[in-house]
Amino acid sequence: FAAPRGSAAGLGAARRPLVMVERRPLLSVLSHVVLLIGVLVVAFPVYLTFVASTHTAEAIVQAPMPLLPGDQFFHNYAAALTGSEHGQGSAAPVGRMMWISLVTALVIAFGKISISLLSAFAIVYFRFPFKQLVFWSIFVTLMLPVEVRIFPTYQVVSDLGMLNTYAGLTIPLIASATATFLFRQFFMTVPDELVEAARMDGATLFGEFKHVIRPLAMGTLSSTGLLCLVLSWNEAFWALNLTSAKAGTLATLIASYSSPEGLFWAKLSAASLMAIAPIVVFGWFSQKQLVQGLTFGAVK
């Protein structure tokens, strides 16, 4: 029964919004079925890659392909990791290539964040002629990926003698228009009163950046840094064109397993899984920071 309008219970009920929860078991089951199908579609190729990495090359090319793991797990992974066996595509160790990929990814990610952070800070808080033209010039480079400018970039790197070097792998990729745009958009949301208060307290321009702007940008900085690190780890096109099979990243190593006679499917599958394993682990532990950085300021 409804309480009288003038009573305390009636007033309290009037202030509380009525929330109705509608349960639809069929819709809930259907959504879970669709989610399960999506997981299977994504996970099944990875499972097949794992199965292929535990069999011999002869067993993999049979029809039908085995769907259960074999007994060559330790042999294939040890051969791919150390490059202990001789033959086409097997002399390049995955362990060394993973180290090259790690160093390259860290240098590129750190360079992108540092340059983009300072560039966005200068575009937003500095006053100089043609400031908007400078920003749009940087923004236009989003339409010029590595594939478009590969020939002149390669020529410059070759003339400087940086082929098969860490400098050649990292320096042409450390500038990021995407990161600059993200930081610039965030800096524009920072209230001017905070910067003016720091200026009135005697903070220099570097002090404003260090004590006010950078702490506020930690969410965007962490998410952008994670994205840059993942993209740098997966960078394949530039490394394939710049380095040899034994002096490049994991991408060049996986490509080196190709041969006119066929593919070394067992070691190729093992190398592929070892290439994606660090990214999966890294993404699992950093997903909270990634989501928080991407949604920072979206909900008040």
Side-chain angles (χ1 to χ4, degrees), residues 2-250:
R5 181 178 294 272
S7 63
L11 292 176
R15 294 192 186 101
R16 293 192 300 269
L18 182 60
V19 179
M20 299 182 62
V21 179
E22 187 176 359
R23 296 182 178 179
R24 296 183 179 180
L26 182 60
L27 184 60
S28 178
V29 172
L30 181 61
S31 62
H32 282 79
V33 170
V34 173
L35 180 62
L36 181 60
I37 294 175
V39 171
L40 291 177
V41 169
V42 174
F44 187 68
V46 180
Y47 173 74
L48 283 183
T49 304
F50 171 73
V51 172
S53 67
T54 60
H55 287 277
T56 61
E58 293 76 13
I60 297 173
V61 297
Q62 291 180 358
M65 175 183 172
L67 296 180
L68 295 177
D71 57 353
Q72 299 294 315
F73 176 84
F74 294 102
H75 177 270
N76 292 336
Y77 278 83
L81 187 64
T82 61
S84 56
E85 293 185 356
H86 297 288
Q88 291 179 337
S90 61
V94 172
R96 181 171 180 271
M97 301 305 172
M98 289 185 71
W99 171 254
I100 296 176
S101 297
L102 178 62
V103 173
T104 303
L106 290 176
V107 172
I108 293 176
F110 180 79
K112 284 185 176 182
I113 293 300
S114 302
I115 296 176
S116 301
L117 193 64
L118 295 176
S119 300
F121 180 76
I123 291 173
V124 174
Y125 292 101
F126 284 21
R127 294 181 180 179
F128 54 90
F130 308 108
K131 182 170 68 172
Q132 291 299 323
L133 178 61
V134 172
F135 167 71
W136 285 109
S137 299
I138 297 174
F139 186 77
V140 166
T141 59
L142 286 173
M143 305 178 186
L144 298 174
V146 178
E147 292 79 3
V148 175
R149 49 186 172 86
I150 181 67
F151 291 109
T153 306
Y154 182 88
Q155 185 65 43
V156 172
V157 173
S158 177
D159 293 342
L160 294 176
M162 294 192 300
L163 297 178
N164 290 322
T165 63
Y166 285 110
L169 281 172
T170 56
I171 292 178
L173 302 178
I174 61 174
S176 174
T178 304
T180 303
F181 175 75
L182 293 176
F183 285 129
R184 184 252 188 185
Q185 295 303 109
F186 173 79
F187 290 161
M188 292 181 65
T189 64
V190 176
D192 295 335
E193 292 77 8
L194 294 177
V195 180
E196 293 175 359
R199 194 172 303 157
M200 292 177 63
D201 290 338
T204 61
L205 192 61
F206 179 75
E208 296 174 6
F209 173 79
K210 180 180 179 181
H211 300 292
V212 179
I213 303 300
R214 185 179 58 83
L216 292 175
M218 287 305 297
T220 305
L221 193 150
S222 60
S223 61
T224 307
L226 294 176
L227 292 175
C228 291
L229 185 62
V230 172
L231 292 176
S232 302
W233 176 272
N234 295 327
E235 175 60 42
F237 186 78
W238 176 245
L240 285 171
N241 287 274
L242 188 75
T243 60
S244 61
K246 298 181 181 181
T249 60
L250 276 172

